Amino acid sequence: GGSNVTPAIKQVKLEKECELRIEVGNDAPLRLRLLSGTAEIFGTELPPEIWLNFPPKLKFAVFTWFGATIEMDGATETDYTADETPMVSYVNVHAILDGRRDRAKKSPSDDPVLSQGPRVIVVGPTDSGKSTLSRMLLSWAAKQGWKPTFVDLDIGQGSITVPGSIAATPIEMPIDPVEGIPLEMPLVYFYGHTSPSNNVELYKVLVKELAAILERQFTGNTESRAAGMVINTMGWIEGVGYDLLLHAIRTFQANVVLVLGQEKLCSMLRDVLKGEPKVDVVKLQRSGGVVSRNAKFRQKTRSSRTREYFYGLANDLSPHSNISNFSDLFVYRVGGGPQAPRSALPIGAEPAADPTRVVAVNINRDLLHTVLAVSFAKEPDEIISSNVAGFIYVTDIDIQRKKITYLAPSAGELPSKYLIMGSLTWLET
Ligand code: ADP
């Protein structure tokens, strides 16, 4: 009997250029291994025969160029095989980028134009597969020995550090399909909100700062210069979102714009960038495997990214709880508040809020459950132009004793007493 008893282990045979699309179940992880042939997950090859553990809810695809047999152990929300994918067009883009990297490497290193490898920016609406395509291009490049720089401008669903940040990091190895991008020493700027509309001007300023630092690093490093960048963007492509895309393209001097599944955006960008020094705007098909995530799911993802920062993906990190006096920490927020007192303005003029004004924040109960960035700034007026060392999470505010309790990734003193507050909060669960 037991007709509805499913065998624990399921085998799937994949023909060439097909992929197995999986959504891991909600409650339990999934074990998966490559039994024979070759296959990759978003550009990273699977090791033969070794069982890999995928956490609940993860959505991914195992793709094979030449055919493979996969074994799965555990329940999935969905799993199905697709024989229509845009992978050939994606790998063709990779081949062109690789050619450009080779040319850059062979050029005289004192020629700033010729020695610059491709600067690729991936744009498109939310859930078009931008992060996934970025990841594949980076992993394929790393597999060939390049160390391209990954820039993530997505403050909502970024994959380098906690939400509310923009960040960059060199990718030295194909990205681990489970662990994602190693949280080593990324270059991070804290914006503090998960939507750019909170402070558009500040977002632009931080994008400029990040681009300027990378530009300086590239000057001294011909290897990373030749490898170039892959820049992931937000899914906001209308109105101000469109302006921010153009701003990012120009600020990073991107020379390849990959547009995922959006005819209109593609032709708009082609038109507007026509006059500019050689920028290729390339339209690519969106993969049918990309899963749409609703607002609630996105919120959950943000929350688990924050959790991962402090506790690690597999709860393998132990953050430290520290207590400081109010007087030992200086909390700032950026923007808001009138720029000048009314008395200093011409008669009739209204004081305007300065979006990049740094304002001191009194420590009170409002800070409870906020995620604060620890700035590298040495003075408050350096806060906007400074990247951040990391983050703390406020777990208690004791008004009477003037003590603040917070979680930090490691023990010991914070690298700086200047903290940046935005609207980012987290409820530890
Ligand atoms: P975007 O960056 O445009 O918002 P993502 O690249 O993050 O979109 O993709 C959305 C979700 O779809 C992610 O969870 C990703 O892992 C999943 N996904 C992307 N491509 C595939 C695919 N071919 N098969 C299964 N899941 C996929």
Side-chain angles (χ1 to χ4, degrees):
S3 59
N4 55 3
V5 174
T6 43
I9 295 186
K10 176 172 164 183
Q11 271 191 15
V12 182
K13 195 170 169 347
L14 287 175
E15 300 299 327
K16 78 186 221 319
E17 290 175 23
C18 290
E19 71 183 19
L20 174 61
R21 294 172 179 164
I22 298 174
E23 286 184 43
V24 183
N26 285 324
D27 308 309
L30 173 77
R31 293 201 318 147
L32 179 147
R33 69 170 174 169
L34 171 67
L35 206 58
S36 66
T38 53
E40 57 184 49
I41 294 177
F42 299 153
T44 302
E45 269 188 285
L46 290 184
E49 288 178 59
I50 296 173
W51 284 104
L52 303 172
N53 265 303
F54 296 85
K57 295 181 193 157
L58 195 73
K59 306 167 195 334
F60 66 100
V62 182
F63 177 86
T64 180
W65 292 106
F66 306 108
T69 304
I70 308 295
E71 255 183 4
M72 283 192 287
D73 176 12
T76 61
E77 190 65 28
T78 44
D79 61 89
Y80 68 97
T81 301
D83 56 9
E84 263 178 54
T85 79
M87 291 295 277
V88 170
S89 62
Y90 292 178
V91 87
N92 283 341
V93 169
H94 161 72
I96 290 167
L97 299 178
D98 228 34
R100 294 196 184 178
R101 292 185 181 109
D102 274 327
R103 250 179 291 151
K105 195 179 173 184
K106 289 188 189 113
S107 300
S109 59
D110 57 358
D111 185 321
V113 177
L114 291 180
S115 67
Q116 172 62 62
R119 295 185 170 190
V120 186
I121 188 164
V122 184
V123 307
T126 34
D127 296 332
S128 57
K130 295 180 298 298
S131 319
T132 305
L133 177 60
S134 303
R135 193 164 167 156
M136 286 191 250
L137 294 174
L138 289 161
S139 289
W140 286 330
K143 185 183 168 192
Q144 263 150 299
W146 301 105
K147 293 175 182 165
T149 301
F150 178 35
V151 178
D152 203 334
L153 302 180
D154 189 351
I155 48 181
Q157 308 283 313
S159 36
I160 300 182
T161 186
V162 304
S165 313
I166 59 170
T169 187
I171 300 297
E172 310 197 331
M173 282 197 307
I175 297 165
D176 187 291
V178 181
E179 303 279 326
I181 293 169
L183 285 174
E184 271 149 19
M185 278 289 287
L187 189 57
V188 180
Y189 284 84
F190 188 56
Y191 167 71
H193 317 280
T194 53
S195 160
S197 51
N198 288 58
N199 190 339
V200 172
E201 205 42 47
L202 175 63
Y203 182 83
K204 284 189 181 174
V205 168
L206 296 181
V207 166
K208 267 194 227 158
E209 290 291 341
L210 179 59
I213 292 252
L214 289 175
E215 203 69 63
R216 237 173 297 154
Q217 291 183 351
F218 280 141
T219 321
N221 189 336
T222 47
E223 196 188 358
S224 66
R225 200 175 159 76
M229 310 186 215
V230 176
I231 306 162
N232 182 37
T233 60
M234 301 178 282
W236 191 18
I237 56 169
E238 311 268 340
V240 181
Y242 175 75
D243 294 341
L244 289 177
L245 280 184
L246 267 184
H247 177 261
I249 292 169
R250 289 176 172 145
T251 308
F252 282 94
Q253 297 177 42
N255 46 27
V256 180
V257 182
L258 302 178
V259 188
L260 275 171
Q262 252 269 348
E263 207 77 61
K264 181 176 155 214
L265 178 63
C266 184
S267 70
M268 277 168 82
L269 288 172
R270 261 187 199 143
D271 274 356
V272 72
L273 295 169
K274 228 177 348 220
E276 307 196 9
K278 195 132 173 58
V279 184
D280 295 316
V281 181
V282 181
K283 186 176 165 285
L284 287 172
Q285 203 193 318
R286 175 188 184 279
S287 166
V290 177
V291 184
S292 295
R293 299 159 298 180
N294 59 25
K296 194 167 159 222
F297 188 89
R298 285 166 192 287
Q299 175 52 44
K300 281 212 172 120
T301 315
R302 284 199 280 274
S303 176
S304 43
R305 291 276 325 156
T306 311
R307 182 178 170 70
E308 189 188 334
Y309 175 81
F310 291 103
Y311 289 97
L313 192 64
N315 265 326
D316 46 348
L317 302 179
S318 24
H320 284 252
S321 187
N322 303 298
I323 301 179
S324 288
N325 296 316
F326 283 6
S327 57
D328 293 337
L329 297 177
F330 297 89
V331 184
Y332 292 88
R333 65 185 163 79
V334 183
Q339 196 170 14
R342 215 172 271 270
S343 58
L345 293 173
I347 292 168
E350 281 299 307
D354 177 358
T356 56
R357 200 170 84 122
V358 175
V359 186
V361 174
N362 284 328
I363 300 184
N364 59 31
R365 296 284 299 173
D366 292 349
L367 264 75
L368 192 62
H369 302 316
T370 56
V371 177
L372 307 175
V374 182
S375 177
F376 274 124
K378 296 197 175 57
E379 299 294 335
D381 62 4
E382 290 175 357
I383 281 179
I384 289 184
S385 57
S386 300
N387 56 316
V388 302
F391 302 90
I392 63 169
Y393 172 59
V394 180
T395 54
D396 191 44
I397 300 277
D398 185 336
I399 300 284
Q400 248 95 60
R401 291 166 53 233
K402 295 194 182 312
K403 299 268 188 202
I404 173 168
T405 310
Y406 61 89
L407 218 56
S410 56
E413 218 168 295
L414 295 176
S416 142
K417 57 185 182 197
Y418 294 124
L419 304 175
I420 315 171
M421 176 186 178
S423 55
L424 197 68
T425 55
W426 176 48
L427 271 187
E428 201 178 344
T429 43

